[in-house]
Amino acid sequence: MDDKIKKLSEYIQRSRYTVAITGAGISLSAGGVTYRELARIHFRPGVMRNPEKMYEAFYRSYLDSMFHHEPSLSHKALCEMEQEGNLQGIITTNEDCMHTLAGSKNVAEIQGSYQVNVCTGCDRHYDDYRIWNQGRMPVCEVCGGTILPYQRYSHIGLLDGEVEKARNWISQAELILVIGTNGYFGSAYWENHRRDATVVQINPGRTQFDKIANLNIKEESDAVFAALMEVQ
């Protein structure tokens, strides 16, 4: 892996505009779950109709990691890259707020997250992930309705403003880091990427990016970023 890490370091140092695309894989070491496990938890019969069961499902898939685990080494490394001026944006399908908790500022959460919440009764917004740290399903202070995170409220819709950010960033990117994702919902922004951009994939599994990446690093992202820190 050493040669690939050195190559990745060279790409990062040479790039004037770098964007990361992240998925569930980046959060596994921070208590997150895979997309398959997420679907199994959320789509059991009756879960979405019962607030108590719904909160339990949310807790198992996201809330436990958000409030009882630190962001992963990869989350922290991306934040450090941003602070050093080596990363201009993060595009993620993750709802766990881990990039924000790690300190990253430029994050496009294209499916929303637990930072974007809507009352199912009166459409009032509660855009603060801390409402989920009460040990129960949050309810609207105005009408008493159940509050849901955007993805559940919108039936897995995409946030237009976040998608626009993603399209803008990727259209400028000289270097695209694809980390722990299969590329679900990439069709919302991928067509806007620069055709001369260098693509680096960090993922131990097989994905649709295998054939288009200029560099494939088939390792867990934490191991890659730990090695990267040693050479920079």
Side-chain angles (χ1 to χ4, degrees), residues 164-181:
E164 283 305 310
K165 283 197 298 187
R167 289 172 177 169
N168 178 46
W169 292 344
I170 207 166
S171 71
Q172 303 177 66
E174 297 178 358
L175 174 62
I176 302 171
L177 306 177
V178 181
I179 308 168
T181 180

Side-chain angles (χ1 to χ4, degrees), residues 34 49 68 93 95 107 115 160 164 189 192-193 207 224:
T34 64
R49 296 190 298 272
H68 299 104
T93 52
E95 299 172 57
V107 184
Q115 300 186 95
D160 291 341
E164 283 305 310
Y189 59 82
N192 293 72
H193 84 281
T207 79
V224 172

